[in-house]
Amino acid sequence: MTISDGKSDPGGDDRDSEIAKETELVFLRNRVKELEVENAKLLSQVSSCQCQQMEVKHDRSVSDSSSLVRRRRVRKGDKNSIPSHLISKRYVALKIMYFGKRFYGFSAEAQMEPSIESEVFKALERTRLLVGDKKDSCYSRCGRTDKGVSSTGQVIALFLRSRLKSPPGDSKAQVNGKTGERPEYDYVRVLNRALPDDIRVIGWSPAPVDFHARFSCYAREYKYFFWRQNLNLSAMDIAGKKFIGEHDFRNFCKMDVANVHCYTRRVTFFEVSPCQNSHEGDQLCTFTMRGSAFLWHQIRCMVAVLFMIGQGVESVDVIDTLLDTKKTPRKPQYLLASEIPLVLRTCEFENVDFKCSPGAAESLRSHFKNESLTYQLESVIYQEALRNCLPLSNVSTEESSCSDIEKKKKRAEHVPLLSRPTEPSYEERAAKLKPRKQETCHV
């Protein structure tokens, strides 16, 4: 989930100092953005300083041929290698789809492999679209999805090799795509030939040099798929609508007090709706949630509580109680909803128009269709196994009655959320963190 810093909680005699800290934090954020813009402009100026002869040489290393990813890498010190400052670059936003089941999340920083980010950068290096290294590329990402979570609209931004021919410092030419006589590289087609089957680039867009994939995003939309079974969709919809608006979601997330001090987020849309898919009379449904940003595990916590409401073991009013952090300062302990059905559907930006060539678009459609058919064939195997299970008529009456008793016991064992053991509050976590910071400073 996307994690961001924010304002500290108001109250007490420390309010003035907290406001001062917040003001200073806002100033520092703005200054960082200014420095990023200035750095990007300098990089664009440097990247435009190349001659036609150099461009012809490095153009040959990026092509749409099928042998693209099999070409050997130019080694350091090779006499044919081109200094990075002589290679033409442009700032580009890429829209990425991935099926997250086999990945340890999007970010490569957790040092758990494979990650989506590491696979993307391997493809960028293999296709020689990446000039220099990751640090030189002004790389940014819209969000850090967890292990197992998928996306159909993740966005990253970075400098990539380009056919751009514009005067130094002409950032408008970069955005408008003035590339001379030849068209720009087909980033979608080139990268998809180097990526694994469960990751695809589905669009690219020129981006202004002050664009940031995280901070420029004004809305993120998630979907969570589930089978209806015996859930009360009406109660879940009423409860879910209570999330809309600006609330403190500390009881619906995993707190990271070292980096996040404000747990207030704005949810702008919530809906429970049936999907077109069904299986043996059971309807596939989805939660759709939209907001400017979400906390770590926020969606999965919200869904976990909604399932309890749908099962009838919690009331709709429990949402109001958990959102009232004065009344409920400590989060009750409960299990997260599964990560597999969660999808980051889209990230929205102003003045960013993603595009894809007709050839690349046709290849994408064919790829997604084939992958979908493959997973449907795998599903058939499990359905066949289900048919080959022993019929219920072969189960003895005694075993059947024992099974019914066990089910009733499990239902009776549900402990109301507000009666469960609780996690430490934000204030308690922060108080424990301060001595550790002081010890680190002394060291």
Side-chain angles (χ1 to χ4, degrees):
M1 301 300 173
T2 305
I3 305 174
S4 60
D5 293 339
K7 300 178 288 184
S8 57
D9 291 331
D13 297 333
D14 296 333
R15 183 171 184 179
D16 292 339
S17 62
E18 294 295 336
I19 293 173
K21 288 180 183 178
E22 174 63 16
T23 303
E24 183 179 359
L25 184 60
V26 171
F27 171 78
L28 290 173
R29 282 180 177 169
N30 292 334
R31 182 57 181 156
V32 168
K33 288 184 179 180
E34 291 174 0
L35 291 172
E36 286 177 346
V37 172
E38 185 177 348
N39 185 42
K41 287 181 179 178
L42 290 172
L43 283 172
S44 66
Q45 291 177 13
V46 171
S47 67
S48 299
C49 299
Q50 80 283 333
C51 61
Q52 180 67 25
Q53 186 177 5
M54 288 290 190
E55 184 190 347
V56 170
K57 287 182 180 179
H58 76 67
D59 242 10
R60 292 171 184 168
S61 66
V62 180
S63 69
D64 292 344
S65 66
S66 60
S67 63
L68 173 67
V69 299
R70 294 194 292 270
R71 294 185 179 182
R72 71 175 181 86
R73 220 179 262 181
V74 177
R75 296 178 180 177
K76 290 184 179 179
D78 193 322
K79 64 181 181 180
N80 293 324
S81 64
I82 303 170
S84 60
H85 67 277
L86 295 178
I87 298 175
S88 181
K89 296 180 289 185
R90 76 185 307 178
Y91 201 49
V92 170
L94 300 176
K95 181 181 282 190
I96 302 174
M97 173 273 165
Y98 49 88
F99 185 62
K101 186 174 181 179
R102 76 177 181 93
F103 296 103
Y104 287 91
F106 184 84
S107 173
E109 294 169 2
Q111 299 180 341
M112 296 288 286
E113 293 298 332
S115 68
I116 294 98
E117 197 170 68
S118 62
E119 293 294 333
V120 169
F121 271 90
K122 286 177 186 177
L124 289 168
E125 290 172 356
R126 292 176 68 188
T127 57
R128 300 184 185 179
L129 287 173
L130 185 67
V131 181
D133 56 22
K134 186 176 178 180
K135 293 180 180 178
D136 299 327
S137 67
C138 291
Y139 171 74
S140 63
R141 61 190 170 220
C142 187
R144 295 174 57 180
T145 51
D146 296 329
K147 175 184 176 182
V149 177
S150 302
S151 176
T152 58
Q154 174 72 278
V155 174
I156 65 172
L158 73 171
F159 275 99
L160 295 182
R161 189 189 294 258
S162 172
R163 287 175 172 162
L164 190 69
K165 295 179 182 177
S166 60
D170 189 357
S171 59
K172 290 184 178 179
Q174 291 193 22
V175 175
N176 295 332
K178 296 179 182 178
T179 58
E181 297 178 359
R182 291 173 298 171
E184 183 57 280
Y185 296 125
D186 192 341
Y187 294 115
V188 175
R189 179 186 287 272
V190 171
L191 284 170
N192 285 341
R193 285 177 172 171
L195 285 166
D197 288 340
D198 44 8
I199 303 177
R200 278 295 178 271
V201 176
I202 59 177
W204 77 276
S205 172
V209 290
D210 60 346
F211 177 84
H212 193 285
R214 178 184 174 190
F215 298 117
S216 299
C217 180
Y218 69 85
R220 295 165 174 85
E221 184 174 292
Y222 285 85
K223 280 184 175 288
Y224 192 97
F225 296 92
F226 63 97
W227 293 105
R228 178 170 183 171
Q229 298 178 333
N230 295 320
L231 295 171
N232 186 339
L233 293 188
S234 177
M236 295 165 80
D237 186 59
I238 294 170
K241 291 289 196 294
K242 293 177 179 291
F243 290 126
I244 297 177
E246 192 171 85
H247 303 285
D248 190 322
F249 285 96
R250 67 182 63 191
N251 288 326
F252 292 94
C253 74
K254 182 174 181 178
M255 279 194 276
D256 179 17
V257 296
N259 299 304
V260 182
H261 309 297
C262 175
Y263 292 85
T264 299
R265 296 293 184 271
R266 177 176 290 277
V267 174
T268 57
F269 179 82
F270 177 90
E271 183 181 64
V272 182
S273 57
C275 301
Q276 295 179 350
N277 308 68
S278 62
H279 176 67
E280 294 185 354
D282 197 358
Q283 181 73 44
L284 186 68
C285 300
T286 180
F287 297 119
T288 303
M289 285 155 278
R290 177 191 289 260
S292 56
F294 292 90
L295 295 159
W296 192 6
H297 289 171
Q298 181 180 338
I299 302 291
R300 292 168 64 191
C301 284
M302 292 163 64
V303 170
V305 177
L306 288 174
F307 280 158
M308 295 181 204
I309 294 170
Q311 292 163 3
V313 296
E314 292 288 345
S315 70
V316 171
D317 296 332
V318 75
I319 301 294
D320 296 313
T321 306
L322 292 174
L323 288 175
D324 187 348
T325 55
K326 291 183 179 178
K327 186 176 181 180
T328 315
R330 296 180 182 85
K331 176 188 173 185
Q333 295 178 0
Y334 56 88
L335 295 176
L336 289 171
S338 172
E339 70 278 7
I340 299 301
L342 180 58
V343 180
L344 171 58
R345 182 182 172 274
T346 185
C347 306
E348 298 183 7
F349 305 85
E350 292 181 354
N351 304 320
V352 175
D353 184 19
F354 291 99
K355 54 188 176 182
C356 179
S357 69
E362 185 60 34
S363 296
L364 279 171
R365 291 190 189 95
S366 177
H367 175 78
F368 291 146
K369 181 178 179 180
N370 290 336
E371 289 296 298
S372 176
L373 291 173
T374 299
Y375 281 105
Q376 288 182 51
L377 285 174
E378 293 179 3
S379 174
V380 168
I381 296 172
Y382 285 101
Q383 292 177 34
E384 189 66 24
L386 183 63
R387 293 189 194 96
N388 288 335
C389 284
L390 288 174
L392 291 176
S393 58
N394 288 15
V395 179
S396 66
T397 308
E398 183 180 348
E399 289 175 343
S400 179
S401 60
C402 288
S403 177
D404 292 338
I405 293 171
E406 286 178 1
K407 288 180 180 179
K408 290 180 180 178
K409 282 184 177 180
K410 285 182 180 179
R411 289 178 185 175
E413 287 172 358
H414 176 81
V415 178
L417 279 173
L418 302 179
S419 301
R420 296 186 182 189
T422 58
E423 299 178 1
S425 67
Y426 168 79
E427 290 76 16
E428 291 168 341
R429 293 175 188 266
K432 289 182 180 179
L433 191 66
K434 285 181 181 179
R436 294 179 188 174
K437 287 185 177 179
Q438 291 172 359
E439 289 174 8
T440 304
C441 292
H442 287 310
V443 172

